[in-house]
Amino acid sequence: CFGVHSAFGGAVSRDCFGDALWQASEQAGLDLRFLQRPAKSPLLAIVHETHPPKYFFVGDDSADLHFDVSALPEGWESAVRWANFGCISLARQPLADHLVSLARRLHARGVRISYDPNFRAVMDESYDPVLKRMMAIADLVKVSEEDLRGLFRTDNEDAAFAQLRAMNPDTPILYTRGGEGASLYV
């Protein structure tokens, strides 16, 4: 991506949905050694309304939950400079705890951590500890106004942004506002 050697570390199913993700990853030039294909069903997002988007997820014990960090290529941790974490993978257990532990381990080794919480409806109060742990180690955060409203369960975006900022005041935050553009807070 952008001339930088990149990979997606995760697990996708061995069906037509996983095949489509594999092919898109291959076309994007991602390092496919980090993409795992367990014999499990896919995690599917069903979008039943588009304005505003309304959706739900289908996939108990799905492939994504079986991502195995220990199966990644030998020596990968010494080669990585940035690792991005976010979205639904951090809202589903036990995967969330594995990924937060991985992010902490990478951060301790000097790897830069970017974090995009990308709010989803399943991120209720039980997601709050993950949000706090990831914010504590993030070197860069990307968040939208929709993310702020959902993560902090409020319509007051300014107050939500202040809460997020207080979790790690030194971390730059890229705050996107749809058609209004984006701002970087440092």
Side-chain angles (χ1 to χ4, degrees), residues 161-176:
F161 185 81
Q163 282 183 269
L164 184 73
R165 192 90 179 122
M167 290 179 182
N168 190 341
D170 295 329
T171 296
I173 297 178
L174 179 62
Y175 184 12
T176 62

Side-chain angles (χ1 to χ4, degrees), residues 25-130:
S25 297
E26 187 174 46
Q27 290 171 356
L30 296 177
D31 186 336
L32 298 177
R33 295 176 303 154
F34 294 79
L35 189 55
Q36 300 169 6
R37 307 275 317 258
K40 294 290 183 175
S41 62
L43 173 65
L44 298 176
I46 308 300
V47 180
H48 57 94
E49 287 184 35
T50 56
H51 298 290
K54 292 186 180 175
Y55 53 87
F56 59 92
F57 293 94
V58 177
D60 294 338
D61 196 36
S62 53
D64 61 305
L65 296 176
H66 293 272
F67 176 62
D68 182 2
V69 173
S70 68
L72 292 174
E74 189 173 320
W76 75 273
E77 287 186 31
S78 62
V80 67
R81 292 191 302 223
W82 276 92
N84 183 64
F85 293 84
C87 201
I88 193 69
S89 60
L90 287 172
R92 293 169 44 87
Q93 294 296 353
L95 181 60
D97 285 341
H98 296 308
L99 293 178
V100 170
S101 293
L102 174 60
R104 283 181 163 168
R105 188 171 77 234
L106 290 172
H107 181 70
R109 292 179 61 116
V111 173
R112 308 282 297 208
I113 304 298
S114 65
Y115 174 47
D116 180 359
N118 201 7
F119 177 77
R120 297 293 180 246
V122 296
M123 294 174 173
D124 56 16
E125 294 84 7
S126 64
Y127 185 77
D128 292 353
V130 170

Side-chain angles (χ1 to χ4, degrees), residues 4-21:
V4 176
H5 191 70
S6 301
F8 165 71
V12 298
S13 56
R14 294 184 187 176
D15 56 16
C16 60
F17 301 108
D19 290 345
L21 291 170

